[in-house]
Amino acid sequence: MKILKIQTLRGPNYWSIRRQKLVVMRLDLEELADKPSDVIPNFYQGLIAVLPSLVEHQCSPGCRGGFLMRVQEGTMMGHIIEHVALELQDLAGMPVGFGRTRETSTPGTYQVVIEYFNEAAGRYAARAAVRLCQSIVETGSYPPEELAQDLKDLQELWAEASLGPSTEALVKEADRRGVPWVALSARSMIQFGNGVYQRRMQATQSDRTSILGIELACDKEGTKTILREAGIPVPRGTLIHYLDDLKTAIDDVGGFPIVIKPLDGNHGRGITIDINSWELAEEAYDAASGASKSRSVIVERYYQGRDHRVLVVNDKVVAVAERVPAHVVGDGHTSIAELIEQTNRDPRRGEGHDNVLTKIEMDRTSWQLLERHGYTLETVLPAGTVCYLRATANLSTGGIAVDRTDDIHPENIWLAQRVAKVIGLDIAGIDIVTPDISQPLRDVGGVIVEVNAAPGFRMHLSPSQGIPRNVAEPVLDMLFPSGTPSRIPIIAITGTNGKTTTSRLIAHIFKQTKRVVGYTTTDGIYINDFLVEKGDNTGPQSAQVILNDPTVEVAVLESARGGILRSGLAFESCDVGVVLNVSADHLGLGDIETLDDMARLKSVVAETVLPNGYAVLNADDPLVAAMANRVHGQVTYFAMEPENELIRLHTQRGGLAAIYENGYLSILKGDWTLRIEQAVNVPLTLGGRAPFMIANALAASLAAFAQGVRIEDIRAALTTFEPSVGQTPGRMNLFDLGGYHALIDYAHNPASYAALGSFVRNWPGERIGVVGGPGDRRDEDFVTLGQLTAQIFDRVIVKEDDDTRGRPRGDAARFINLGIQQIGIVGRCETILDETTAIQTALNTATPGSLVVILPETVSRAIALIEQRQPQSPSTLAA
Ligand code: ATP
Ligand code: ATP
Ligand code: MG
Ligand code: MG
């Protein structure tokens, strides 16, 4: 077997709209191509020995053991690999369930589609599944240590990419509410929502967490000062920089017991609490000074009590946890060392912040604490005796958390909320030491020891005891208060022809509404009239540029076949999905062989339309009209004929449509006709003579109307949108060269040739064509092009692209000429392979009143050649 290609899909795609995280592996079965599993000796036995849990896979029989039945009866290896890849991920703790396998048009080559939980792990699982099956075929087995290693690798890949518990909780909550999110490429930032409505978080710090608030919270002394002045109970303490000042400081705070800690520390680093002797104080001073960047040390009175973390989000207390320092409890026969080991065996305990809890490790304080009680690691504690191994209760040093949200006294709630406000934090973790959180601090001598910016959510999300609290909920409520949007409208456009033109026109319409429009096309990425990036930008990455842009208010996204096939759409859903047409182009690429395959691929755009959104479908194109069945949103149609049956039925039922009637582009809203504009006044339609442009304009108008744009704005846009080099380079750009005209157009498949022909055939003078097509199309496509060419032009020059996309030079031209000959041509036909020479020859020999139609490889080069001849502007069309 040989893996030919592995692709990773990240959005709605050909295989599924809902299952967006898929690996697509193109697999050549080679020697196994004609060997179903039942004829491979010992394969079934080998497989169930290695992966007995495959019995859970139901597959087509729909019952437990169903898949294994298929293996026993005989199924192809691609299908088995699909199930194995899913099972490997399951075994590694990543539950996935979706898979598809289908043979391509190349016999023995399969597309194996498997869902992934984590991208890298998914790709790994696909490869590992091939390896595993190959080994069973060859040796009857797969070594257990290999399998163990695979699972370990899978888990590591997953862990590497994991977001951390707080962020994980936030994105889950976002998913729950349908708020799109994306991890940005720098500084572990997550973007929630998109466009102008987006908000960002970095762990639990929001884009509106005040920098002054953060700085104040990080300055423990400053925090205490501000809080004390506000009448909030804080520990008595002073700040020192030299050991010489320690003695006076201790006296100042009222003598032992004291706490010594670095001014700017966190996670309990460098802190010693409950210090009762000068000797310990000196040692603690060194530890604190060493952990402080500024060598500044806080000396504080020690307050007896339990340690609490109060989480305030958006001015409200949302959770309270009591944190208990790392400890073990004796049982009368086990040593402290063994108790620690037992505790650390808890699967919830991991390293650092990775897991729900953290493993206990011995450090300086641990030894001190043991020493204080006269214990060693070998000591066997009497049953029930608690031995603390840390003085501070931070989870990251092995502490545990107990939920106390329902226990906190209302006065303490009020106090904590006030503290967050005084410090100036939208999300604050307030550390309170008090003997009893259910009593007012003032009554029981509790204090606020610290305020944390960016507090971890772990202890609230998964406390060791008590009720888990969904603290991500109030954060998302804060980011997107109810009634405010999180996403900008997305208008997605697909189809075989006219995508760029229609996208640009839709963008132009939305610009009339004074909104900032971001749009992507084959020419580039634009925001309003400014170019962000040049080049083919119809894939998901380009769409993401627009969706991530904080200035964009409306996104108009040309969504071409290639991008959907390669990685799926960049958005989970859209507000308007436009499908212009489906015709023969790009067939045979990416395992899309038939028009039906292609229609299915393009319908992805229509299927992602939100329930309250609109699919804009071409009623004149049966393949497009049929997509209505798969749309979850509302359906609207456009058509060139008012008599179109589908439109009639649709509007009778009160539906929305756009049609061309009596020379007008009009919207039909149930019984009512809303005329937008006469085609002759819409420059894009070349005075109403380019029917396909009328269709594009109808689709664009309908898309905008469905989004609530007023007819006046649509009209203003249609009358000012010129098929000029400036607004739509390469799409029906007509130049008046004095005495004759030249037209540059990008038509490059049979349907667009035919469309172009519908305009050109009406030309009164001689019609001269300079034609060719991209080399990666099929031979028969070139023949068809030739045939159509012969039906459109009086005279033809056949040329080729500089980039023949793998074809021998002259090959494409040969097939085009073949097509031309099949029809027979009036006038001359010659072949000039070099595009520039071909264009120059055509222009030099143009007769008065003629039209030279150029279908260039490079639009800008063709335009430059024309510009040299100083066309008259604007290019007026003879009436
Ligand atoms: P983190 O940021 O992870 O909460 P930190 O390193 O910033 O920890 P503090 O919050 O100042 O340090 O202190 C850590 C813990 O030490 C407190 O939660 C509390 O349990 C204890 N502690 C600190 N100061 C005092 C004090 N004056 N009296 C009693 N206990 C204290
Ligand atoms: P690409 O696949 O290259 O991105 P596209 O779908 O974006 O193409 P446009 O660039 O808008 O399409 O138009 C390319 C050419 O297709 C036009 O110049 C014209 O010849 C033809 N065309 C445009 N609209 C239609 C249509 N609705 N039907 C058929 N042909 C069309
Ligand atoms: Mg703290
Ligand atoms: Mg395009």
Side-chain angles (χ1 to χ4, degrees), residues 491-492 494 506 575-580 606 609 614-619 624 627 631 634-638 656 658 698-704 706:
I491 291 96
T494 197
I506 293 175
D575 299 82
V576 180
V578 181
V579 188
L580 292 169
V609 168
Y614 289 86
V616 172
L617 304 177
N618 186 346
V624 177
M627 292 175 191
V631 172
Q634 300 164 73
V635 173
T636 66
Y637 296 103
F638 64 97
L656 191 63
L698 287 173
S701 304
L702 190 52

PDB file of all heavy atoms in Angstrom, residues 491-492 494 506 575-580 606 609 614-619 624 627 631 634-638 656 658 698-704 706:
ATOM      1  N   ILE A 491     -21.404  36.609   3.242  1.00  0.00           N
ATOM      2  CA  ILE A 491     -22.036  36.289   1.977  1.00  0.00           C
ATOM      3  C   ILE A 491     -21.017  35.481   1.186  1.00  0.00           C
ATOM      4  O   ILE A 491     -19.930  35.979   0.871  1.00  0.00           O
ATOM      5  CB  ILE A 491     -22.446  37.552   1.198  1.00  0.00           C
ATOM      6  CG1 ILE A 491     -23.594  38.256   1.922  1.00  0.00           C
ATOM      7  CG2 ILE A 491     -22.990  37.198  -0.182  1.00  0.00           C
ATOM      8  CD1 ILE A 491     -23.283  39.326   2.786  1.00  0.00           C
ATOM      9  N   ALA A 492     -21.339  34.223   0.931  1.00  0.00           N
ATOM     10  CA  ALA A 492     -20.391  33.350   0.237  1.00  0.00           C
ATOM     11  C   ALA A 492     -20.892  33.090  -1.178  1.00  0.00           C
ATOM     12  O   ALA A 492     -22.088  32.895  -1.381  1.00  0.00           O
ATOM     13  CB  ALA A 492     -20.248  32.044   0.994  1.00  0.00           C
ATOM     14  N   THR A 494     -20.335  30.899  -4.788  1.00  0.00           N
ATOM     15  CA  THR A 494     -19.653  29.862  -5.542  1.00  0.00           C
ATOM     16  C   THR A 494     -20.376  29.630  -6.866  1.00  0.00           C
ATOM     17  O   THR A 494     -21.393  30.258  -7.145  1.00  0.00           O
ATOM     18  CB  THR A 494     -19.512  28.565  -4.724  1.00  0.00           C
ATOM     19  OG1 THR A 494     -18.521  27.743  -5.348  1.00  0.00           O
ATOM     20  CG2 THR A 494     -20.827  27.811  -4.643  1.00  0.00           C
ATOM     21  N   ILE A 506     -21.442  42.382  -5.391  1.00  0.00           N
ATOM     22  CA  ILE A 506     -22.078  42.342  -4.064  1.00  0.00           C
ATOM     23  C   ILE A 506     -21.334  43.276  -3.109  1.00  0.00           C
ATOM     24  O   ILE A 506     -21.941  44.050  -2.368  1.00  0.00           O
ATOM     25  CB  ILE A 506     -22.105  40.900  -3.506  1.00  0.00           C
ATOM     26  CG1 ILE A 506     -23.044  40.024  -4.352  1.00  0.00           C
ATOM     27  CG2 ILE A 506     -22.552  40.891  -2.050  1.00  0.00           C
ATOM     28  CD1 ILE A 506     -23.067  38.550  -3.961  1.00  0.00           C
ATOM     29  N   ASP A 575     -24.599  33.668   6.064  1.00  0.00           N
ATOM     30  CA  ASP A 575     -25.914  34.300   6.073  1.00  0.00           C
ATOM     31  C   ASP A 575     -26.561  34.234   4.704  1.00  0.00           C
ATOM     32  O   ASP A 575     -27.775  34.108   4.600  1.00  0.00           O
ATOM     33  CB  ASP A 575     -25.769  35.749   6.532  1.00  0.00           C
ATOM     34  CG  ASP A 575     -25.201  35.799   7.927  1.00  0.00           C
ATOM     35  OD1 ASP A 575     -23.963  35.690   8.082  1.00  0.00           O
ATOM     36  OD2 ASP A 575     -25.987  35.878   8.872  1.00  0.00           O
ATOM     37  N   VAL A 576     -25.722  34.369   3.672  1.00  0.00           N
ATOM     38  CA  VAL A 576     -26.214  34.214   2.315  1.00  0.00           C
ATOM     39  C   VAL A 576     -25.219  33.339   1.561  1.00  0.00           C
ATOM     40  O   VAL A 576     -24.013  33.595   1.597  1.00  0.00           O
ATOM     41  CB  VAL A 576     -26.357  35.576   1.600  1.00  0.00           C
ATOM     42  CG1 VAL A 576     -26.868  35.366   0.181  1.00  0.00           C
ATOM     43  CG2 VAL A 576     -27.299  36.508   2.358  1.00  0.00           C
ATOM     44  N   GLY A 577     -25.721  32.302   0.921  1.00  0.00           N
ATOM     45  CA  GLY A 577     -24.869  31.442   0.104  1.00  0.00           C
ATOM     46  C   GLY A 577     -25.372  31.493  -1.330  1.00  0.00           C
ATOM     47  O   GLY A 577     -26.515  31.130  -1.595  1.00  0.00           O
ATOM     48  N   VAL A 578     -24.534  32.007  -2.238  1.00  0.00           N
ATOM     49  CA  VAL A 578     -24.939  32.165  -3.625  1.00  0.00           C
ATOM     50  C   VAL A 578     -24.317  31.051  -4.464  1.00  0.00           C
ATOM     51  O   VAL A 578     -23.102  30.851  -4.409  1.00  0.00           O
ATOM     52  CB  VAL A 578     -24.463  33.531  -4.175  1.00  0.00           C
ATOM     53  CG1 VAL A 578     -24.914  33.720  -5.626  1.00  0.00           C
ATOM     54  CG2 VAL A 578     -24.957  34.681  -3.305  1.00  0.00           C
ATOM     55  N   VAL A 579     -25.138  30.316  -5.208  1.00  0.00           N
ATOM     56  CA  VAL A 579     -24.591  29.346  -6.163  1.00  0.00           C
ATOM     57  C   VAL A 579     -25.029  29.772  -7.557  1.00  0.00           C
ATOM     58  O   VAL A 579     -26.217  29.754  -7.879  1.00  0.00           O
ATOM     59  CB  VAL A 579     -25.037  27.908  -5.875  1.00  0.00           C
ATOM     60  CG1 VAL A 579     -24.275  26.938  -6.780  1.00  0.00           C
ATOM     61  CG2 VAL A 579     -24.808  27.552  -4.417  1.00  0.00           C
ATOM     62  N   LEU A 580     -24.059  30.200  -8.369  1.00  0.00           N
ATOM     63  CA  LEU A 580     -24.383  30.813  -9.662  1.00  0.00           C
ATOM     64  C   LEU A 580     -24.726  29.775 -10.722  1.00  0.00           C
ATOM     65  O   LEU A 580     -25.690  29.920 -11.465  1.00  0.00           O
ATOM     66  CB  LEU A 580     -23.194  31.646 -10.133  1.00  0.00           C
ATOM     67  CG  LEU A 580     -22.913  32.895  -9.283  1.00  0.00           C
ATOM     68  CD1 LEU A 580     -21.578  33.497  -9.668  1.00  0.00           C
ATOM     69  CD2 LEU A 580     -24.042  33.905  -9.464  1.00  0.00           C
ATOM     70  N   ALA A 606     -24.271  26.338  -0.167  1.00  0.00           N
ATOM     71  CA  ALA A 606     -25.706  26.507   0.093  1.00  0.00           C
ATOM     72  C   ALA A 606     -26.111  25.811   1.393  1.00  0.00           C
ATOM     73  O   ALA A 606     -26.962  26.289   2.128  1.00  0.00           O
ATOM     74  CB  ALA A 606     -26.516  25.953  -1.074  1.00  0.00           C
ATOM     75  N   VAL A 609     -25.780  27.652   4.821  1.00  0.00           N
ATOM     76  CA  VAL A 609     -26.627  28.821   5.103  1.00  0.00           C
ATOM     77  C   VAL A 609     -27.370  28.614   6.423  1.00  0.00           C
ATOM     78  O   VAL A 609     -27.959  27.567   6.657  1.00  0.00           O
ATOM     79  CB  VAL A 609     -27.620  29.043   3.948  1.00  0.00           C
ATOM     80  CG1 VAL A 609     -28.693  30.043   4.344  1.00  0.00           C
ATOM     81  CG2 VAL A 609     -26.887  29.510   2.703  1.00  0.00           C
ATOM     82  N   TYR A 614     -30.217  32.988   3.800  1.00  0.00           N
ATOM     83  CA  TYR A 614     -30.800  32.728   2.477  1.00  0.00           C
ATOM     84  C   TYR A 614     -29.808  32.054   1.536  1.00  0.00           C
ATOM     85  O   TYR A 614     -28.662  32.491   1.429  1.00  0.00           O
ATOM     86  CB  TYR A 614     -31.230  34.036   1.821  1.00  0.00           C
ATOM     87  CG  TYR A 614     -32.437  34.672   2.460  1.00  0.00           C
ATOM     88  CD1 TYR A 614     -32.295  35.518   3.560  1.00  0.00           C
ATOM     89  CD2 TYR A 614     -33.716  34.404   1.984  1.00  0.00           C
ATOM     90  CE1 TYR A 614     -33.403  36.097   4.158  1.00  0.00           C
ATOM     91  CE2 TYR A 614     -34.832  34.973   2.575  1.00  0.00           C
ATOM     92  CZ  TYR A 614     -34.671  35.826   3.661  1.00  0.00           C
ATOM     93  OH  TYR A 614     -35.770  36.384   4.251  1.00  0.00           O
ATOM     94  N   ALA A 615     -30.291  31.029   0.847  1.00  0.00           N
ATOM     95  CA  ALA A 615     -29.526  30.474  -0.262  1.00  0.00           C
ATOM     96  C   ALA A 615     -30.035  31.157  -1.523  1.00  0.00           C
ATOM     97  O   ALA A 615     -31.241  31.262  -1.722  1.00  0.00           O
ATOM     98  CB  ALA A 615     -29.727  28.977  -0.352  1.00  0.00           C
ATOM     99  N   VAL A 616     -29.120  31.665  -2.342  1.00  0.00           N
ATOM    100  CA  VAL A 616     -29.500  32.319  -3.591  1.00  0.00           C
ATOM    101  C   VAL A 616     -29.134  31.352  -4.716  1.00  0.00           C
ATOM    102  O   VAL A 616     -27.948  31.105  -4.974  1.00  0.00           O
ATOM    103  CB  VAL A 616     -28.758  33.664  -3.746  1.00  0.00           C
ATOM    104  CG1 VAL A 616     -29.003  34.251  -5.129  1.00  0.00           C
ATOM    105  CG2 VAL A 616     -29.205  34.640  -2.661  1.00  0.00           C
ATOM    106  N   LEU A 617     -30.156  30.758  -5.346  1.00  0.00           N
ATOM    107  CA  LEU A 617     -29.917  29.683  -6.306  1.00  0.00           C
ATOM    108  C   LEU A 617     -30.390  30.060  -7.702  1.00  0.00           C
ATOM    109  O   LEU A 617     -31.368  30.797  -7.861  1.00  0.00           O
ATOM    110  CB  LEU A 617     -30.639  28.406  -5.853  1.00  0.00           C
ATOM    111  CG  LEU A 617     -30.292  27.893  -4.446  1.00  0.00           C
ATOM    112  CD1 LEU A 617     -31.127  26.662  -4.102  1.00  0.00           C
ATOM    113  CD2 LEU A 617     -28.799  27.580  -4.329  1.00  0.00           C
ATOM    114  N   ASN A 618     -29.695  29.524  -8.701  1.00  0.00           N
ATOM    115  CA  ASN A 618     -30.009  29.798 -10.094  1.00  0.00           C
ATOM    116  C   ASN A 618     -31.130  28.849 -10.559  1.00  0.00           C
ATOM    117  O   ASN A 618     -30.914  27.653 -10.708  1.00  0.00           O
ATOM    118  CB  ASN A 618     -28.741  29.581 -10.931  1.00  0.00           C
ATOM    119  CG  ASN A 618     -28.931  29.984 -12.372  1.00  0.00           C
ATOM    120  OD1 ASN A 618     -30.058  30.186 -12.826  1.00  0.00           O
ATOM    121  ND2 ASN A 618     -27.822  30.099 -13.100  1.00  0.00           N
ATOM    122  N   ALA A 619     -32.307  29.413 -10.796  1.00  0.00           N
ATOM    123  CA  ALA A 619     -33.449  28.579 -11.185  1.00  0.00           C
ATOM    124  C   ALA A 619     -33.315  28.074 -12.617  1.00  0.00           C
ATOM    125  O   ALA A 619     -33.987  27.126 -13.015  1.00  0.00           O
ATOM    126  CB  ALA A 619     -34.753  29.360 -11.024  1.00  0.00           C
ATOM    127  N   VAL A 624     -28.218  23.451  -9.898  1.00  0.00           N
ATOM    128  CA  VAL A 624     -28.205  24.419  -8.792  1.00  0.00           C
ATOM    129  C   VAL A 624     -29.572  24.447  -8.116  1.00  0.00           C
ATOM    130  O   VAL A 624     -29.673  24.419  -6.882  1.00  0.00           O
ATOM    131  CB  VAL A 624     -27.820  25.823  -9.305  1.00  0.00           C
ATOM    132  CG1 VAL A 624     -27.885  26.829  -8.157  1.00  0.00           C
ATOM    133  CG2 VAL A 624     -26.433  25.804  -9.924  1.00  0.00           C
ATOM    134  N   MET A 627     -30.350  22.021  -5.426  1.00  0.00           N
ATOM    135  CA  MET A 627     -29.703  22.144  -4.109  1.00  0.00           C
ATOM    136  C   MET A 627     -30.675  22.595  -3.032  1.00  0.00           C
ATOM    137  O   MET A 627     -30.417  22.433  -1.843  1.00  0.00           O
ATOM    138  CB  MET A 627     -28.535  23.134  -4.193  1.00  0.00           C
ATOM    139  CG  MET A 627     -27.380  22.637  -5.029  1.00  0.00           C
ATOM    140  SD  MET A 627     -26.120  23.911  -5.201  1.00  0.00           S
ATOM    141  CE  MET A 627     -25.101  23.159  -6.482  1.00  0.00           C
ATOM    142  N   VAL A 631     -30.881  22.713   1.597  1.00  0.00           N
ATOM    143  CA  VAL A 631     -30.669  23.980   2.307  1.00  0.00           C
ATOM    144  C   VAL A 631     -31.453  23.987   3.619  1.00  0.00           C
ATOM    145  O   VAL A 631     -32.612  23.592   3.648  1.00  0.00           O
ATOM    146  CB  VAL A 631     -31.121  25.159   1.406  1.00  0.00           C
ATOM    147  CG1 VAL A 631     -31.095  26.465   2.170  1.00  0.00           C
ATOM    148  CG2 VAL A 631     -30.240  25.230   0.171  1.00  0.00           C
ATOM    149  N   GLN A 634     -33.466  29.682   4.244  1.00  0.00           N
ATOM    150  CA  GLN A 634     -34.538  29.973   3.292  1.00  0.00           C
ATOM    151  C   GLN A 634     -33.960  30.008   1.887  1.00  0.00           C
ATOM    152  O   GLN A 634     -32.800  30.338   1.697  1.00  0.00           O
ATOM    153  CB  GLN A 634     -35.165  31.310   3.657  1.00  0.00           C
ATOM    154  CG  GLN A 634     -35.739  31.261   5.072  1.00  0.00           C
ATOM    155  CD  GLN A 634     -36.005  32.632   5.618  1.00  0.00           C
ATOM    156  OE1 GLN A 634     -36.935  33.294   5.216  1.00  0.00           O
ATOM    157  NE2 GLN A 634     -35.152  33.062   6.548  1.00  0.00           N
ATOM    158  N   VAL A 635     -34.811  29.648   0.919  1.00  0.00           N
ATOM    159  CA  VAL A 635     -34.340  29.556  -0.458  1.00  0.00           C
ATOM    160  C   VAL A 635     -34.869  30.736  -1.265  1.00  0.00           C
ATOM    161  O   VAL A 635     -36.027  31.133  -1.107  1.00  0.00           O
ATOM    162  CB  VAL A 635     -34.812  28.226  -1.087  1.00  0.00           C
ATOM    163  CG1 VAL A 635     -34.486  28.181  -2.567  1.00  0.00           C
ATOM    164  CG2 VAL A 635     -34.164  27.054  -0.362  1.00  0.00           C
ATOM    165  N   THR A 636     -34.030  31.313  -2.096  1.00  0.00           N
ATOM    166  CA  THR A 636     -34.466  32.308  -3.073  1.00  0.00           C
ATOM    167  C   THR A 636     -33.871  31.911  -4.416  1.00  0.00           C
ATOM    168  O   THR A 636     -32.831  31.256  -4.466  1.00  0.00           O
ATOM    169  CB  THR A 636     -33.980  33.723  -2.728  1.00  0.00           C
ATOM    170  OG1 THR A 636     -32.551  33.733  -2.833  1.00  0.00           O
ATOM    171  CG2 THR A 636     -34.370  34.155  -1.338  1.00  0.00           C
ATOM    172  N   TYR A 637     -34.550  32.299  -5.501  1.00  0.00           N
ATOM    173  CA  TYR A 637     -34.067  31.936  -6.836  1.00  0.00           C
ATOM    174  C   TYR A 637     -33.889  33.173  -7.703  1.00  0.00           C
ATOM    175  O   TYR A 637     -34.601  34.158  -7.541  1.00  0.00           O
ATOM    176  CB  TYR A 637     -35.070  31.032  -7.546  1.00  0.00           C
ATOM    177  CG  TYR A 637     -35.296  29.696  -6.893  1.00  0.00           C
ATOM    178  CD1 TYR A 637     -36.440  29.460  -6.151  1.00  0.00           C
ATOM    179  CD2 TYR A 637     -34.369  28.668  -7.046  1.00  0.00           C
ATOM    180  CE1 TYR A 637     -36.668  28.227  -5.557  1.00  0.00           C
ATOM    181  CE2 TYR A 637     -34.593  27.428  -6.462  1.00  0.00           C
ATOM    182  CZ  TYR A 637     -35.736  27.217  -5.722  1.00  0.00           C
ATOM    183  OH  TYR A 637     -35.956  26.001  -5.146  1.00  0.00           O
ATOM    184  N   PHE A 638     -32.985  33.066  -8.663  1.00  0.00           N
ATOM    185  CA  PHE A 638     -32.942  34.078  -9.722  1.00  0.00           C
ATOM    186  C   PHE A 638     -33.039  33.360 -11.065  1.00  0.00           C
ATOM    187  O   PHE A 638     -32.656  32.192 -11.190  1.00  0.00           O
ATOM    188  CB  PHE A 638     -31.680  34.951  -9.642  1.00  0.00           C
ATOM    189  CG  PHE A 638     -30.391  34.211  -9.848  1.00  0.00           C
ATOM    190  CD1 PHE A 638     -29.776  34.183 -11.100  1.00  0.00           C
ATOM    191  CD2 PHE A 638     -29.771  33.559  -8.793  1.00  0.00           C
ATOM    192  CE1 PHE A 638     -28.579  33.506 -11.289  1.00  0.00           C
ATOM    193  CE2 PHE A 638     -28.580  32.874  -8.973  1.00  0.00           C
ATOM    194  CZ  PHE A 638     -27.979  32.849 -10.227  1.00  0.00           C
ATOM    195  N   LEU A 656     -39.102  34.707  -2.257  1.00  0.00           N
ATOM    196  CA  LEU A 656     -38.342  35.844  -2.757  1.00  0.00           C
ATOM    197  C   LEU A 656     -37.560  35.392  -3.993  1.00  0.00           C
ATOM    198  O   LEU A 656     -37.014  34.292  -4.016  1.00  0.00           O
ATOM    199  CB  LEU A 656     -37.385  36.284  -1.649  1.00  0.00           C
ATOM    200  CG  LEU A 656     -36.649  37.603  -1.788  1.00  0.00           C
ATOM    201  CD1 LEU A 656     -37.637  38.758  -1.817  1.00  0.00           C
ATOM    202  CD2 LEU A 656     -35.673  37.755  -0.628  1.00  0.00           C
ATOM    203  N   ALA A 658     -35.444  36.904  -7.957  1.00  0.00           N
ATOM    204  CA  ALA A 658     -35.009  38.011  -8.806  1.00  0.00           C
ATOM    205  C   ALA A 658     -35.097  37.533 -10.250  1.00  0.00           C
ATOM    206  O   ALA A 658     -34.693  36.404 -10.554  1.00  0.00           O
ATOM    207  CB  ALA A 658     -33.584  38.426  -8.466  1.00  0.00           C
ATOM    208  N   LEU A 698     -28.420  39.843 -11.176  1.00  0.00           N
ATOM    209  CA  LEU A 698     -29.625  39.400 -10.457  1.00  0.00           C
ATOM    210  C   LEU A 698     -29.242  38.683  -9.169  1.00  0.00           C
ATOM    211  O   LEU A 698     -29.810  38.931  -8.106  1.00  0.00           O
ATOM    212  CB  LEU A 698     -30.460  38.464 -11.346  1.00  0.00           C
ATOM    213  CG  LEU A 698     -31.226  39.104 -12.509  1.00  0.00           C
ATOM    214  CD1 LEU A 698     -31.867  38.023 -13.381  1.00  0.00           C
ATOM    215  CD2 LEU A 698     -32.275  40.087 -12.010  1.00  0.00           C
ATOM    216  N   ALA A 699     -28.265  37.805  -9.283  1.00  0.00           N
ATOM    217  CA  ALA A 699     -27.818  37.051  -8.103  1.00  0.00           C
ATOM    218  C   ALA A 699     -27.288  38.008  -7.042  1.00  0.00           C
ATOM    219  O   ALA A 699     -27.622  37.886  -5.854  1.00  0.00           O
ATOM    220  CB  ALA A 699     -26.741  36.046  -8.504  1.00  0.00           C
ATOM    221  N   ALA A 700     -26.499  38.972  -7.457  1.00  0.00           N
ATOM    222  CA  ALA A 700     -25.912  39.926  -6.513  1.00  0.00           C
ATOM    223  C   ALA A 700     -27.005  40.762  -5.845  1.00  0.00           C
ATOM    224  O   ALA A 700     -26.994  40.960  -4.625  1.00  0.00           O
ATOM    225  CB  ALA A 700     -24.912  40.824  -7.239  1.00  0.00           C
ATOM    226  N   SER A 701     -27.964  41.222  -6.650  1.00  0.00           N
ATOM    227  CA  SER A 701     -29.042  42.064  -6.105  1.00  0.00           C
ATOM    228  C   SER A 701     -29.864  41.280  -5.084  1.00  0.00           C
ATOM    229  O   SER A 701     -30.213  41.789  -4.016  1.00  0.00           O
ATOM    230  CB  SER A 701     -29.967  42.531  -7.227  1.00  0.00           C
ATOM    231  OG  SER A 701     -29.225  43.202  -8.222  1.00  0.00           O
ATOM    232  N   LEU A 702     -30.131  40.024  -5.421  1.00  0.00           N
ATOM    233  CA  LEU A 702     -30.944  39.179  -4.544  1.00  0.00           C
ATOM    234  C   LEU A 702     -30.222  38.916  -3.221  1.00  0.00           C
ATOM    235  O   LEU A 702     -30.828  38.968  -2.148  1.00  0.00           O
ATOM    236  CB  LEU A 702     -31.247  37.865  -5.277  1.00  0.00           C
ATOM    237  CG  LEU A 702     -32.271  36.922  -4.665  1.00  0.00           C
ATOM    238  CD1 LEU A 702     -33.570  37.645  -4.354  1.00  0.00           C
ATOM    239  CD2 LEU A 702     -32.520  35.753  -5.608  1.00  0.00           C
ATOM    240  N   ALA A 703     -28.925  38.661  -3.324  1.00  0.00           N
ATOM    241  CA  ALA A 703     -28.134  38.414  -2.112  1.00  0.00           C
ATOM    242  C   ALA A 703     -28.197  39.627  -1.192  1.00  0.00           C
ATOM    243  O   ALA A 703     -28.395  39.503   0.023  1.00  0.00           O
ATOM    244  CB  ALA A 703     -26.686  38.097  -2.481  1.00  0.00           C
ATOM    245  N   ALA A 704     -28.047  40.805  -1.766  1.00  0.00           N
ATOM    246  CA  ALA A 704     -28.051  42.026  -0.968  1.00  0.00           C
ATOM    247  C   ALA A 704     -29.449  42.294  -0.405  1.00  0.00           C
ATOM    248  O   ALA A 704     -29.603  42.629   0.770  1.00  0.00           O
ATOM    249  CB  ALA A 704     -27.586  43.206  -1.813  1.00  0.00           C
ATOM    250  N   ALA A 706     -31.776  40.172   0.264  1.00  0.00           N
ATOM    251  CA  ALA A 706     -32.055  39.210   1.330  1.00  0.00           C
ATOM    252  C   ALA A 706     -31.412  39.646   2.639  1.00  0.00           C
ATOM    253  O   ALA A 706     -31.874  39.317   3.720  1.00  0.00           O
ATOM    254  CB  ALA A 706     -31.559  37.817   0.939  1.00  0.00           C
TER     255      ALA A 706
END
